[in-house]
Amino acid sequence: MPSLDRLRLSLLCRRHFAALAFTLGIIGTSCVATAADYIKGVTYFGKSWPVAFWNSDQRESDADFKQIRGDGFNTLILVVPWGEFQPGLSPVRFNDAAYARLGKLCQNAKSNGLDVMLRVSYLWDFQPNVQMPNHERSNALLANDKLLPAWRLYLQRIAQATSNCASTSFISWEDFWPIIQWVATKHSPEDAANVAKLVGFDSWVRKSNARDFLANNAALAKKLGAYPIPSRDDPSFRLMFQWFDEQLSMRLLPELAHQVGSASIEARIDDDPIYENGKVREWYSHKQTYQVNSSSLLMSYWAPAMGAENHGQLDPASKVLERFIHMQKKVRTSSKNQIFIEQFLFTDNTPSAKQNAQIAPEQIRTFLKDVTDPMLQFTSGYALWGARDYDADMLFNSSFALGSEGWTLTPGASLRRAAGGHEIRLRQGAGINQKQPAIRCHFCATAKSTTLRLRARGPGEISAMYASSTRTHRLKTGDQTVIMEFPVIANDTELTIKSELGDISLTDVKLYDFTQRFGVRDANGSPGPYLTDIQALNRRLTTASASNSSTPK
């Protein structure tokens, strides 16, 4: 059977079995294996990044998918932010263009021989006029059932748009973790009680078997009208983790499965410290979320820092491999599901990860070779979080793929079709503007400067104003790339670009203060230092999977 036909048969088998397994309560069973069964995936952002992908230029997706297949991958993961796809909650208001783009991309990926998985309720987006944006919305969904009707409609539309091309959908603990960060902050007893009522902890804990907590806090609950959120440095805070796990695995995951069929969860694999008297008393495991009845897969993640002391050290491949194996064994002891590491972060330059253990650069190639057998032994697949490097662009609709949506055009500015997409034409004195809420600046705390990069065509002169600073640039005739540097600002601001001289065209406007680098391919798709190593890893995984599937059982 041709390899593409084997892949499609395997995908069909996985999808329909998962739905049946959920109905019958079967866990961890799979269809007959083929060479395509081992999942080798990427989370796809095109030339954008996850927060701005759905309003970016996606015209090169077909070529991207062919490149992804050529690199040895068989699976594509798409993040689907709730806010961008359903900006309105009451009344419900859909972003029809986003659903249309989702359906088109999903079908295109399938036509290129790629399975498609969807991470739904992704936390971040820059969509204007979103009701309860970002963590405000995720917190509310986790806290009570008021938003469930709207969430169901969001999921139903996703299922309709991808019914013939997506095999699995999943939620991630990461997209709901802000509620834990919020309740873990210092609160007065009165505020802690109010928060407990607001997020539903009070009603949950009253029905729980936490007898000691209920008895010890009964008088306080009577006084305050609710059982307060335990302090983060109190051993009882483990109840908050338990509450969190139950909301994900017992409320949201079954609802997702009911709407889409095959549904899983990216579980929190990291254990969390439980404190007493300022010291770590024990570690809380989120293993309650490791059992998934609605899919054969449990979604996971991995980075070299997991299980390490993490003081910024560079470790040899052998030491990191030991930790990799330990983490997979840890998960397997508490799950009957097949492990899919859908975020395989073998390198990470995120500023917040500065103190995390990393693989010594000269040892990365060795690690990517030696991890083959443990991957095959303990997991059913892996995916790169980014197949390409990306700039953390703070602009909405930066390439004008959605026309002028999100931008304010002054008189003399107009949207025009151009070879390869859209551009803005600025007559002398005209300009464009976009407001920049502070929440868009994800890396302000560590960035040293903000970069504005755009493509322009002159001749003439343009100016850009951002963060109360103005820069100008003289343009020559023809297409050119313009780069300007600005201060970092953590407050609400705006970006204004204006033609000071001549009639000017511009597109692909990027405003960023951080570039995520993975080392596989750069933002334009050119080879990175580890591309050949990833390609070789995929070949080994495919060959071994094919050999295993042909071995008599």
Side-chain angles (χ1 to χ4, degrees):
M1 182 182 294
S3 60
L4 183 56
D5 290 340
R6 285 204 311 270
L7 174 62
R8 286 172 176 160
L9 178 61
S10 175
L11 300 185
L12 185 67
C13 178
R14 284 207 298 263
R15 181 166 193 167
H16 287 281
F17 174 81
L20 178 62
F22 175 63
T23 302
L24 300 179
I26 302 172
I27 303 175
T29 309
S30 59
C31 300
V32 177
T34 72
D37 271 343
Y38 194 88
I39 306 168
K40 303 174 291 290
V42 298
T43 305
Y44 178 68
F45 313 128
K47 289 185 177 180
S48 185
W49 70 308
V51 186
F53 171 65
W54 291 104
N55 52 80
S56 69
D57 184 355
Q58 299 173 3
R59 288 173 298 108
E60 297 182 9
S61 60
D62 186 69
D64 291 346
F65 295 162
K66 288 178 170 58
Q67 184 181 76
I68 289 168
R69 284 289 288 161
D71 289 340
F73 297 101
N74 59 20
T75 299
L76 197 79
I77 299 173
L78 298 172
V79 298
V80 188
W82 184 10
E84 187 158 5
F85 278 69
Q86 190 189 68
L89 297 170
S90 180
V92 167
R93 175 168 48 90
F94 292 112
N95 182 346
D96 294 330
Y99 281 101
R101 287 186 140 204
L102 171 61
K104 182 179 179 180
L105 274 179
C106 185
Q107 291 291 346
N108 193 3
K110 178 182 177 182
S111 298
N112 280 282
L114 293 165
D115 184 18
V116 178
M117 299 183 182
L118 307 174
R119 175 172 166 178
V120 301
S121 275
Y122 182 67
L123 178 61
W124 295 105
D125 66 78
F126 292 158
Q127 179 73 24
N129 302 315
V130 172
Q131 186 179 6
M132 299 180 69
N134 305 318
H135 58 267
E136 184 181 352
R137 185 178 290 209
S138 67
N139 288 355
L141 179 64
L142 207 65
N144 55 60
D145 291 344
K146 292 181 181 179
L147 294 189
L148 269 181
W151 196 57
R152 290 188 186 109
L153 294 175
Y154 154 76
L155 297 175
Q156 289 169 10
R157 285 287 300 270
I158 290 174
Q160 292 167 6
T162 63
S163 60
N164 296 320
C165 50
S167 64
T168 299
S169 296
F170 65 96
I171 54 175
S172 169
W173 68 272
E174 294 180 80
D175 298 323
F176 297 93
W177 196 248
I179 202 167
I180 291 294
Q181 296 171 320
W182 176 41
V183 300
T185 57
K186 290 285 186 180
H187 295 286
S188 67
E190 292 77 15
D191 286 344
N194 289 332
V195 171
K197 288 188 286 187
L198 185 63
V199 304
F201 174 78
D202 175 62
S203 59
W204 174 85
V205 79
R206 289 176 185 272
K207 301 173 186 176
S208 73
N209 62 355
R211 296 186 182 89
D212 289 344
F213 176 82
L214 293 171
N216 294 337
N217 292 275
L220 186 59
K222 184 176 181 180
K223 175 184 176 182
L224 300 176
Y227 282 91
I229 298 289
S231 171
R232 182 63 185 93
D233 56 6
D234 188 288
S236 295
F237 195 82
R238 69 182 342 271
L239 293 172
M240 284 307 308
F241 292 133
Q242 185 180 342
W243 167 85
F244 178 82
D245 291 346
E246 285 193 15
Q247 305 316 302
L248 290 181
S249 60
M250 299 177 66
R251 278 185 61 240
L252 300 189
L253 182 57
E255 186 63 46
L256 174 62
H258 183 72
Q259 301 301 332
V260 305
S262 177
S264 188
I265 184 173
E266 182 199 80
R268 180 165 170 81
I269 306 304
D270 296 283
D271 293 345
D272 286 295
I274 302 299
Y275 298 101
E276 186 174 28
N277 298 324
K279 297 181 179 179
V280 176
R281 168 181 168 175
E282 59 184 327
W283 293 85
Y284 179 89
S285 170
H286 297 267
K287 61 185 178 181
Q288 177 180 347
T289 62
Y290 296 0
Q291 296 283 6
V292 178
N293 293 331
S294 48
S295 173
S296 60
L297 299 175
L298 171 67
M299 309 305 189
S300 178
Y301 57 94
W302 179 83
M306 296 176 71
E309 294 181 359
N310 293 317
H311 47 75
Q313 75 271 30
L314 300 176
D315 286 337
S318 57
K319 193 170 185 178
V320 178
L321 193 65
E322 289 177 1
R323 296 200 296 265
F324 176 87
I325 293 172
H326 170 76
M327 294 305 298
Q328 309 320 311
K329 287 182 176 179
K330 169 183 176 290
V331 177
R332 284 192 60 170
T333 58
S334 299
S335 178
K336 297 179 181 178
N337 294 84
Q338 301 168 28
I339 301 171
F340 173 36
I341 307 174
E342 47 84 25
Q343 287 189 55
F344 181 68
L345 299 167
F346 65 92
T347 183
D348 185 6
N349 71 317
T350 306
S352 60
K354 186 177 181 179
Q355 292 301 312
N356 287 357
Q358 301 277 357
I359 307 172
E362 70 276 7
Q363 291 274 294
I364 290 178
R365 289 186 170 88
T366 299
F367 175 81
L368 291 175
K369 179 181 179 181
D370 293 348
V371 79
T372 307
D373 288 343
M375 275 188 166
L376 289 165
Q377 181 180 357
F378 297 108
T379 77
S380 292
Y382 87 98
L384 300 177
W385 171 243
R388 294 181 176 182
D389 301 344
Y390 58 71
D391 300 318
D393 184 16
M394 294 180 277
L395 295 173
F396 177 82
N397 189 25
S398 61
S399 296
F400 312 111
L402 304 182
S404 60
E405 185 178 348
W407 294 90
T408 300
L409 279 60
T410 67
S414 60
L415 177 75
R416 306 197 326 177
R417 284 194 173 276
H422 289 89
E423 64 181 19
I424 294 291
R425 183 70 169 172
L426 299 178
R427 295 192 178 278
Q428 184 170 319
I432 59 173
N433 173 279
Q434 185 170 130
K435 295 185 182 301
Q436 290 294 300
I439 196 170
R440 290 188 181 181
C441 191
H442 287 210
F443 299 95
C444 278
T446 54
K448 296 181 179 179
S449 65
T450 299
T451 301
L452 173 67
R453 188 182 73 237
L454 56 88
R455 289 198 299 117
R457 186 170 64 254
E461 182 176 301
I462 63 170
S463 66
M465 186 172 73
Y466 174 77
S468 301
S469 299
T470 301
R471 307 286 185 267
T472 60
H473 187 93
R474 178 75 67 165
L475 295 172
K476 300 177 181 178
T477 301
D479 293 335
Q480 55 217 275
T481 298
V482 176
I483 297 177
M484 300 176 177
E485 297 294 329
F486 290 89
V488 176
I489 184 169
N491 302 318
D492 292 349
T493 186
E494 56 186 46
L495 170 69
T496 300
I497 303 173
K498 182 181 177 182
S499 170
E500 300 291 349
L501 179 66
D503 294 345
I504 294 167
S505 298
L506 56 89
T507 189
D508 293 340
V509 185
K510 304 276 188 179
L511 184 71
Y512 59 95
D513 52 18
F514 173 69
T515 298
Q516 186 82 57
R517 304 191 188 280
F518 302 101
V520 181
R521 288 188 179 275
D522 68 15
N524 294 315
S526 299
Y530 306 119
L531 175 62
T532 57
D533 303 283
I534 289 295
Q535 291 172 333
L537 172 62
N538 287 341
R539 287 194 296 271
R540 290 192 298 271
L541 292 170
T542 299
T543 300
S545 181
S547 176
N548 290 341
S549 67
S550 62
T551 302
K553 299 292 192 292

